[in-house]
Amino acid sequence: AQKITQTQPGMFVQEKEAVTLDCTYDTSDPSYGLFWYKQPSSGEMIFLIYQGSYDQQNATEGRYSLNFQKARKSANLVISASQLGDSAMYFCAMREPDYGQNFVFGPGTRLSVLP
Amino acid sequence: GAVVSQHPSWVICKSGTSVKIECRSLDFQATTMFWYRQFPKQSLMLMATSNEGSKATYEQGVEKDKFLINHASLTLSTLTVTSAHPEDSSFYICSASGQYPGELFFGEGSRLTVL
């Protein structure tokens, strides 16, 4: 079974608009970490945001916020005020347990920001 | 912040030759590093977990004799693709866990093309 599901292979958003990238996960471990990474065409993986399973509040990092709904096992990434430079692949990932070594990635969503 | 560096970024080799890719943690000690493989338009697939001073742990389906991993020091892990063939052409990325939860640092990636 897929550990991480990203149902949107591709997304378009108008510049300056907000966009939500979906991510659902599957785990029976109470301790896990959820991550979002951006991968531009250059290939490097850029860390965006992290949410621990025990964190009470949704994580935020600048224009990025993570809509963490634990009961639904979803960890959607919200990008506010999209910029042309946000066009890239976005990967949701999970590490279980959170201090452990098992790290899996979702299939990714390609975001295209339109001028 | 912590930096992980990979070298080379690009490598083109002839079929049958071996290629070594280095992954270095520049300002922290990484007892564990991870090697991923990424095919075009696909997600990252974990190949192996590299542990300093011990044998690497390979994921199911990854040939140990084909992809040799050595983690000789706390700052260096190497991946050697032995007797490379065109089907080994891919993007290889390493990562290292930081000392705090949620920290996972990626190298820039190495694009291997086997002719």
Side-chain angles (χ1 to χ4, degrees):
Chain A
Q2 289 282 351
K3 286 275 189 178
I4 300 285
T5 303
Q6 293 179 254
T7 58
Q8 307 152 315
M11 286 281 287
F12 291 90
V13 64
Q14 207 69 36
E15 193 179 6
K16 300 181 184 178
E17 297 289 315
V19 63
T20 298
L21 305 184
D22 294 342
C23 173
T24 57
Y25 58 92
D26 181 30
T27 181
S28 58
D29 199 314
S31 168
Y32 53 90
L34 298 161
F35 303 74
W36 276 93
Y37 284 87
K38 171 184 178 181
Q39 187 181 42
S41 56
S42 59
E44 64 179 310
M45 295 291 283
I46 302 170
F47 167 75
L48 297 178
I49 198 165
Y50 159 79
Q51 179 88 41
S53 59
Y54 294 119
D55 293 343
Q56 296 295 317
Q57 294 189 335
N58 288 344
T60 60
E61 289 284 350
R63 293 187 299 113
Y64 305 106
S65 61
L66 199 151
N67 185 1
F68 181 43
Q69 298 190 36
K70 196 170 183 177
R72 294 185 179 183
K73 293 187 176 178
S74 76
N76 299 339
L77 176 70
V78 180
I79 305 175
S80 62
S82 297
Q83 302 172 356
L84 295 177
D86 293 335
S87 295
M89 280 291 291
Y90 288 81
F91 293 99
C92 178
M94 177 173 66
R95 183 164 68 181
E96 49 175 353
D98 205 6
Y99 291 81
Q101 313 290 357
N102 191 8
F103 202 99
V104 294
F105 286 85
T109 295
R110 179 167 295 282
L111 177 65
S112 299
V113 180
L114 306 175
Chain B
V3 176
V4 173
S5 178
Q6 262 183 263
H7 177 80
S9 300
W10 296 81
V11 57
I12 300 173
C13 69
K14 292 183 178 180
S15 185
T17 60
S18 294
V19 174
K20 180 185 286 188
I21 301 170
E22 294 185 347
C23 179
R24 292 181 185 274
S25 57
L26 298 184
D27 56 357
F28 69 105
Q29 294 182 331
T31 54
T32 303
M33 291 184 174
F34 306 91
W35 287 95
Y36 298 86
R37 182 174 184 177
Q38 185 181 28
F39 290 107
K41 298 184 180 180
Q42 293 189 24
S43 187
L44 280 70
M45 298 297 296
L46 180 65
M47 297 175 65
T49 301
S50 171
N51 302 296
E52 188 268 336
S54 64
K55 291 183 179 180
T57 304
Y58 289 82
E59 295 299 301
Q60 190 174 11
V62 177
E63 299 176 61
K64 300 178 182 181
D65 296 331
K66 177 73 170 177
F67 300 100
L68 300 179
I69 292 173
N70 186 293
H71 196 150
S73 77
L74 285 171
T75 59
L76 174 64
S77 175
T78 60
L79 168 67
T80 301
V81 183
T82 62
S83 187
H85 288 95
E87 57 265 31
D88 298 326
S89 298
S90 190
F91 192 60
Y92 294 89
I93 308 177
C94 73
S95 69
S97 290
Q99 60 181 117
Y100 300 111
E103 286 190 335
L104 187 70
F105 304 103
F106 283 87
E108 308 96 325
S110 300
R111 194 169 302 280
L112 170 64
T113 301
V114 184
L115 302 176

